[in-house]
Amino acid sequence: MAVKVDPDELRRDPDHLAGELLRLCQRAANRAGLELRKQLEDAGLDAAGLARTGLPTEADVARQEIVEEQDYDTEPQSWLRTV
């Protein structure tokens, strides 16, 4: 994994930039947890076992992303892209 920030973005308010980076890292962690949950389910782990893992469900991830969208008035800026 890597994070690459365009030099122009480093001229922004550091607190805002840090907050946006943290938010994106949390979103990536939630999605990775959801993917792991799906893999465990495909491998045969039952519902009780999945619940004990503490990994997010699709509903958890969707709910969190909706909350994020309401908390931030803008979509991620163009410098945010998959590496």
Side-chain angles (χ1 to χ4, degrees):
M1 288 243 144
V3 174
K4 187 172 183 178
V5 179
D6 187 276
D8 290 339
E9 296 300 326
L10 297 175
R11 295 185 185 95
R12 294 175 48 190
D13 173 45
D15 290 334
H16 180 74
L17 179 60
E20 197 165 334
L21 288 170
L22 179 59
R23 180 177 62 85
L24 292 170
C25 288
Q26 289 169 335
R27 177 178 279 196
N30 281 338
R31 288 184 179 182
L34 177 59
E35 182 59 33
L36 178 56
R37 183 184 185 96
K38 288 178 183 178
Q39 290 174 7
L40 291 172
E41 185 176 22
D42 291 345
L45 190 60
D46 64 5
L50 288 170
R52 284 193 299 272
T53 66
L55 294 169
T57 64
E58 286 188 46
D60 294 334
V61 172
R63 187 173 28 259
Q64 182 59 37
E65 290 183 5
I66 288 170
V67 168
E68 283 178 18
E69 289 173 9
Q70 293 171 350
D71 288 346
Y72 294 90
D73 16 318
T74 60
E75 290 294 317
Q77 297 185 14
S78 62
W79 60 274
L80 301 171
R81 56 190 166 269
T82 303
V83 191

